[in-house]
Amino acid sequence: MSPESEAGTSGEAVLPGTLPDALRAELVAFRRDLHMHPELGNQEFRTTAAIKERLERAGLKPRVLPIGTGLVCDIGTGTPSGQWSGGPRMLALRADIDALPIPDTKSECAYRSQVPDRAHACGHDVHTTVVLGTGLVLAALHEQGLLPRPVRLVFQPAEEVLPGGAADAIEGGALDGVRRILAVHCDPRVDAGKIGLRVGPITSACDRMEIALNGPGGHTARPHLTTDLVTAAARVATDVPALVARRVDSRSGLALTWGRIESGHAPNVIPQHAELAGTVRCLDLDAWRQAPDLVMGAIDEIANLYRAKSEITYVRGVPPVVNEVTSTELLQAAMVARRGTDAVEGTEQSLGGEDFSWYLEHVPGAMARLGVRPPGERTIRDLHQGDFDVDEHAITVGVEMFTAAALIDAVQ
């Protein structure tokens, strides 16, 4: 198939690489199989094997990452050595393959998770299927001599495990010879058939912390003889976010949010131990770099007021994903080529974290928000919820966009 062999409705030549019906149906079935068998970060052995088998059936040679899960696969070669004479010019397409440790609560769904307390509730099964489908289409184009430059598929494990499996993928060579990298993330606020784009930060930094407060307990009749850890924990929970907010530029969007607080077992006993856990999210890279010292200092200040000893475990997570201009324009051009200008809409920076940001510390790239909401549906099935699901038309949209991006990038 040549670029001139497909024509749009107005008669102009369009890019090859649209999905045939048989492959579209196969990809939907593949996604549903992944959805039924979710695996947590660094445990994605079945998922890795399924991707590897399908790529090998297409005549490709995927390489499992050294850590044992996840894989990379190159499509197209320029010389017998596999190196292109023009130097490292490869475009990479990244998918994350892990699931979440939450139950699938979809009551009437033939492909709901079969694994207790495990669910693809963030759309990684869709991301994986999109990149797999793109690889199959590009492999067919390569066989026809229509892929001018090689493309690398990156199937990354453990995106949900801070600080993210991207570091392992990079260490395993995922970016060797790569000059640009692209990704998508499902967005239930955007209709299927569209994408959301923005230049600059599109996600936020995200860290995790756990706090242990300790002190002598005692009887609730004599709180003056104890360290009142319940009150201390409550004050840390309420005062630290407010204190941090006054020590950083409000435009940085630094937000500390608690997800767990525990202390005590009896109503008349002041406990000796309390625990809190939460996340620190930040819109701004500079403020993120200051966050550990700011947050830990504020915790110590409040704990000391109540004579509690604090032990803080602060886990560095991921910086913001910052979309580079040219890479964002490439995604836009690809989507417009496939579905017209109305298929691209602006999007806001979210407070969600994404370890795709680690790739962008090494090479330019961009992430698009892939619309997965059924058009006309008012209810939003939000990410990280047990009832999350997608309009599977998004798979076709993602594959055709990535395929177009690879072809457009090859002539730039």
Side-chain angles (χ1 to χ4, degrees):
M1 182 188 302
S2 68
E4 291 76 21
S5 66
E6 292 189 21
T9 56
S10 60
E12 74 277 9
V14 298
L15 291 170
T18 54
L19 275 181
D21 290 342
L23 182 55
R24 182 181 295 109
E26 179 190 350
L27 292 176
V28 168
F30 188 90
R31 179 258 166 174
R32 293 184 177 188
D33 179 72
L34 293 185
H35 201 84
M36 293 170 66
H37 302 92
E39 297 174 300
L40 299 184
N42 296 317
Q43 301 174 24
E44 312 96 332
F45 298 104
R46 182 186 186 278
T47 303
T48 298
I51 300 165
K52 183 174 182 287
E53 188 277 332
R54 186 60 185 92
L55 292 171
E56 288 176 337
R57 238 183 327 127
L60 300 172
K61 297 180 179 180
R63 308 183 301 278
V64 176
L65 292 173
I67 58 173
T69 63
L71 63 157
V72 297
C73 182
D74 295 344
I75 303 169
T77 55
T79 66
S81 67
Q83 296 297 315
W84 287 72
S85 58
R89 302 283 292 169
M90 201 177 302
L91 174 72
L93 305 173
R94 175 268 200 173
D96 36 10
I97 66 175
D98 57 325
L100 286 163
I102 63 175
D104 188 334
T105 60
K106 297 188 293 296
S107 58
E108 297 181 5
C109 179
Y111 52 86
R112 65 178 296 185
S113 172
Q114 296 182 357
V115 183
D117 299 320
R118 303 287 185 268
H120 269 295
C122 202
H124 293 188
D125 52 340
V126 175
H127 307 164
T128 300
T129 305
V130 165
V131 173
L132 173 65
T134 303
L136 298 177
V137 173
L138 291 177
L141 292 177
H142 175 61
E143 289 296 318
Q144 300 169 61
L146 296 178
L147 185 63
R149 189 175 292 155
V151 174
R152 174 168 295 158
L153 314 178
V154 178
F155 297 92
Q156 176 214 303
E159 190 276 331
E160 298 287 355
V161 181
L162 289 179
D168 290 322
I170 294 168
E171 186 176 343
L175 291 182
D176 294 351
V178 168
R179 73 181 184 105
R180 188 181 312 282
I181 187 166
L182 304 176
V184 293
H185 197 295
C186 290
D187 192 334
R189 302 166 302 170
V190 178
D191 285 349
K194 296 184 177 183
I195 63 167
L197 280 178
R198 67 178 279 124
V199 173
I202 193 170
T203 69
S204 300
C206 180
D207 298 339
R208 186 183 73 241
M209 64 178 176
E210 297 179 355
I211 304 164
L213 298 177
N214 297 289
H219 201 288
T220 56
R222 294 176 290 277
H224 59 291
L225 300 179
T226 73
T227 294
D228 189 352
L229 283 181
V230 173
T231 299
R235 300 307 300 189
V236 167
T238 56
D239 290 356
V240 169
L243 192 58
V244 169
R246 292 298 178 267
R247 295 181 176 178
V248 68
D249 190 326
S250 58
R251 292 171 295 183
S252 70
L254 184 63
L256 194 165
T257 306
W258 305 107
R260 181 173 68 87
I261 181 169
E262 296 181 13
S263 186
H265 300 284
N268 62 341
V269 177
I270 293 176
Q272 301 179 44
H273 184 73
E275 294 181 358
L276 300 91
T279 60
V280 178
R281 299 178 186 272
C282 188
L283 301 174
D284 178 74
L285 186 58
D286 288 337
W288 177 68
R289 290 173 176 146
Q290 302 173 41
D293 289 341
L294 285 172
V295 172
M296 290 191 289
I299 291 169
D300 285 338
E301 282 186 41
I302 302 301
N304 288 337
L305 287 175
Y306 292 88
R307 297 179 298 176
K309 294 182 179 180
S310 60
E311 297 176 8
I312 306 169
T313 302
Y314 195 104
V315 181
R316 263 320 215 180
V318 294
V321 171
V322 181
N323 282 351
E324 182 258 346
V325 174
T326 302
S327 302
T328 308
E329 291 174 345
L330 175 59
L331 285 168
Q332 179 168 344
M335 194 64 175
V336 169
R338 292 300 192 197
R339 302 191 177 270
T341 56
D342 291 343
V344 180
E345 60 183 51
T347 190
E348 298 177 347
Q349 182 181 5
S350 80
L351 278 170
E354 235 290 353
D355 77 349
F356 183 66
S357 55
W358 291 125
Y359 298 101
L360 305 187
E361 296 283 307
H362 300 271
V363 297
M367 170 177 282
R369 299 199 187 285
L370 180 66
V372 297
R373 180 177 62 192
E377 183 173 301
R378 294 184 178 180
T379 301
I380 296 178
R381 297 185 179 185
D382 204 5
L383 299 170
H384 288 214
Q385 300 298 315
D387 66 346
F388 178 75
D389 205 355
V390 305
D391 184 329
E392 291 171 318
H393 176 56
I395 296 171
T396 297
V397 174
V399 170
E400 294 186 351
M401 179 186 69
F402 269 166
T403 305
L407 297 174
I408 294 170
D409 180 68
V411 298
Q412 290 182 345

